[in-house]
Amino acid sequence: MTHATLRTRRDAVEAVTELFQQKVGAASMVALRELVAALQRPSPVGDTLARAVVSILDETPAARKLTGSGLGEVLSQTDADARLDTLTVDDENDEWAATELLGAGETAARLGIARASLDNWRRAHKILAFRKGVRNFVYPARQFARQGPLEGLDRVRQHFDADDTAWEWLVTPNRFTGGIEPIEWLRKGKVDDVAHAAEGALDYQ
């Protein structure tokens, strides 16, 4: 065996060793533990050791090369909106707001109260209202029972910065209210439980 052959083989071993060290450095803890366990055996089983090495080599992703032709054409606002319309769909995550909403006049008539009472409840946050236009409001029908608001709505509202935020929380199943909508607990008279849950609601957002 010539000196040149020895040098070639030594270079090859060093190159393979360096590559393996790079792979080990990028390997996950699971793969490294598997390799260490195989090496710590008094007489490492060839198959086990081979699997550990292959696991490290296989899990390391190859370098990725960016491809593409750069920025596309600049679109006008109209064209951009049209293209977005073809690529997107309406988000229905706000279905909570699809609860029956009534105007002030209809709400007052259904409850059999004066419209002024409705306005007073809204200003005192005893009921929740969504603004419609500059001066008008609409009211979720579910927040009323008989001729007035559900008890405890004002205690819930004080923990939120807006009526719509409070309403979304009220109609979303909650683990602190047994996996059901908090508003249903209000209907059952569990006012203190709902108020306590609302108190910590923002801590988990």
Side-chain angles (χ1 to χ4, degrees):
M1 184 176 296
T2 65
H3 179 70
T5 301
L6 287 173
R7 181 177 178 182
T8 301
R9 290 189 175 182
R10 186 180 300 114
D11 290 344
V13 170
E14 290 176 354
V16 171
T17 301
E18 181 179 356
L19 175 61
F20 184 72
Q21 289 173 341
Q22 292 174 358
K23 294 289 186 179
V24 168
S28 67
M29 291 302 297
V30 173
L32 290 176
R33 287 194 186 100
E34 185 178 346
L35 177 60
V36 170
L39 291 173
Q40 285 180 338
R41 296 182 180 181
S43 299
V45 179
D47 290 345
T48 302
L49 184 57
R51 281 197 301 270
V53 173
V54 170
S55 174
I56 287 178
L57 296 178
D58 285 347
E59 77 167 10
T60 307
R64 294 185 176 180
K65 181 179 180 181
L66 295 177
T67 60
S69 56
L71 296 176
E73 62 176 320
V74 178
L75 301 176
S76 68
Q77 185 66 49
T78 302
D79 291 340
D81 290 341
R83 186 167 296 185
L84 281 174
D85 286 341
T86 64
L87 297 174
T88 58
V89 295
D90 292 335
D91 184 0
E92 298 180 353
N93 289 332
D94 60 351
E95 287 184 350
W96 56 269
T99 299
E100 184 182 14
L101 300 176
L102 305 175
E106 187 178 358
T107 301
R110 183 176 293 192
L111 296 176
I113 61 172
R115 185 163 173 172
S117 297
L118 196 66
D119 292 336
N120 291 336
W121 289 342
R122 174 176 53 79
R123 294 190 185 100
H125 296 306
K126 291 183 180 295
I127 58 175
L128 305 178
F130 307 146
R131 187 176 291 278
K132 182 179 181 181
V134 178
R135 298 181 180 179
N136 297 323
F137 293 88
V138 291
Y139 301 85
R142 290 180 65 189
Q143 66 182 317
F144 299 104
R146 298 185 178 87
Q147 291 184 301
L150 291 172
E151 182 184 357
L153 285 173
D154 53 342
R155 293 178 61 183
V156 170
R157 175 60 176 83
Q158 68 182 356
H159 299 295
F160 297 89
D161 59 358
D163 284 9
D164 56 350
T165 307
W167 182 252
E168 181 177 7
W169 183 82
L170 277 167
V171 297
T172 301
N174 190 313
R175 70 186 180 93
F176 295 105
T177 53
I180 65 173
E181 300 172 349
I183 195 170
E184 293 303 317
W185 267 24
L186 287 184
R187 289 189 178 282
K188 296 177 180 179
K190 299 182 177 182
V191 176
D192 290 338
D193 293 324
V194 175
H196 181 69
E199 183 178 2
L202 296 180
D203 295 339
Y204 300 94
Q205 293 186 353

